[in-house]
Amino acid sequence: MKMKRSIGGMIFDVFKYVSLILASIVALVPVCVCILTAFKTNEEWETTSVLDLPASFAYFENFKIAFEQANMLRCFANTAMVLLVVLTVSVFTGSMLAYALNRFKFPGRGLVESLFLFASLLPGIAMQVTIYQIMYNLGLINHLYGYMIVLMGTDIISIYIFLQFFENLPVSLDESAIIDGCTYFGVFFRILFPLLKPAIMTSLVLKGVSVYNEYYASNLYLQQPQLKTISTALYTFTGPYGNQYNYICAGVLITIIPILVFFLVFQKQVYSGMASGAVKG
């Protein structure tokens, strides 16, 4: 019996590690190909395989061309502005909605939560025709603030993250502050909001990565070159007669750097926020 169990355990371990190795290969091969291609000259790209090593890893001309021709400095500035506004509004909106839903009992509260859940199940692409008509009629096409308004739509995931954290904060904090003469706004901004730092960090990471990588709405609503974001900047090197993949890969590596630096600097807060949100006290 023990022999059968040990053999079954060995088979499971082999299957587990083989699956992990295959998944790692699938995830890493595109990244490796992108890095190799970014350092190849036009001649190397046309005559070598994607897995062949470049002649030199000190060839940075592709990065210079990608940065200048795609006007990435302007694209980074546009993206930073969008991120600052959208994330600020999303955090305050999501946290205040979660505060109202968690702390106040009112008729229709359950219906509101159900509607939020139902809204998260609707594919965003299915509503783009209506949204585009509204944006067009309001004159918000080809304006950064119009694009920001689209992205400021209530983030359902962030609301549920904040709801989970409010469940871990005792109501006695609110009651003590109200007894001391604090208003509901004071309770939220002075007492509860500072305690939401892990939830705020988790929400910022999830929403921030989504906004930073967002391509569809950016390409649809920001069609002027000076309004491009970093996600649409690489479209500069695509055309009807072929794509310049060595420049595209160099641009991809440039766009990855800010997110990579952000994660390395704040990885402790990110992990603590996600772990805290997973436990209900």
Side-chain angles (χ1 to χ4, degrees), residues 105-123:
K105 309 299 180 183
F106 53 88
R109 175 174 171 271
L111 177 62
V112 173
E113 292 186 0
S114 300
L115 290 176
F116 278 135
L117 179 60
F118 176 74
S120 66
L121 301 177
L122 293 175

Side-chain angles (χ1 to χ4, degrees), residues 260-273:
L260 182 62
V261 171
F262 176 83
F263 179 78
L264 292 177
V265 173
F266 296 102
Q267 59 179 324
K268 182 178 179 181
Q269 289 83 351
V270 173
Y271 288 138
S272 65

Side-chain angles (χ1 to χ4, degrees), residues 54-198:
S56 173
F57 280 99
Y59 182 77
F60 296 104
E61 189 65 22
N62 291 339
F63 295 89
K64 180 181 178 182
I65 294 174
F67 191 84
E68 293 178 350
Q69 291 190 9
N71 198 12
M72 283 193 170
L73 186 61
R74 181 62 180 268
C75 294
F76 272 120
N78 291 338
T79 303
M81 187 183 304
V82 171
L83 280 171
L84 178 63
V85 175
V86 171
L87 294 183
T88 301
V89 174
S90 296
V91 166
F92 280 103
T93 303
S95 58
M96 286 189 285
L97 280 172
Y99 172 65
L101 290 174
N102 180 262
R103 289 304 203 249
F104 298 97
K105 309 299 180 183
F106 53 88
R109 175 174 171 271
L111 177 62
V112 173
E113 292 186 0
S114 300
L115 290 176
F116 278 135
L117 179 60
F118 176 74
S120 66
L121 301 177
L122 293 175
I125 193 68
M127 299 178 287
Q128 285 303 317
V129 174
T130 304
I131 295 175
Y132 187 87
Q133 289 179 340
I134 295 173
M135 294 280 289
Y136 180 80
N137 292 330
L138 294 177
L140 298 178
I141 305 295
N142 286 326
H143 293 287
L144 271 181
Y145 56 83
Y147 177 63
M148 293 176 188
I149 292 174
V150 172
L151 297 183
M152 283 179 196
T154 304
D155 191 355
I156 309 300
I157 302 300
S158 295
I159 292 178
Y160 280 106
I161 291 174
F162 286 117
L163 277 172
Q164 181 65 64
F165 271 80
F166 276 117
E167 290 289 341
N168 296 326
L169 298 178
V171 183
S172 57
L173 292 174
D174 307 43
E175 296 172 346
S176 300
I178 291 174
I179 290 175
D180 291 336
C182 197
T183 62
Y184 288 117
F185 285 100
V187 170
F188 176 76
F189 287 106
R190 295 183 181 181
I191 308 298
L192 300 179
F193 192 76
L195 300 177
L196 295 175
K197 288 182 179 179

Side-chain angles (χ1 to χ4, degrees), residues 20-81:
L20 291 174
I21 292 173
L22 291 176
S24 301
I25 292 174
V26 171
L28 292 176
V29 166
V31 178
C32 294
V33 170
C34 184
I35 294 174
L36 295 177
T37 304
F39 290 94
K40 290 183 178 180
T41 63
N42 290 329
E43 293 76 14
E44 287 180 302
W45 161 246
E46 293 173 357
T47 58
T48 62
S49 169
V50 292
L51 293 176
D52 291 339
L53 294 177
S56 173
F57 280 99
Y59 182 77
F60 296 104
E61 189 65 22
N62 291 339
F63 295 89
K64 180 181 178 182
I65 294 174
F67 191 84
E68 293 178 350
Q69 291 190 9
N71 198 12
M72 283 193 170
L73 186 61
R74 181 62 180 268
C75 294
F76 272 120
N78 291 338
T79 303
M81 187 183 304

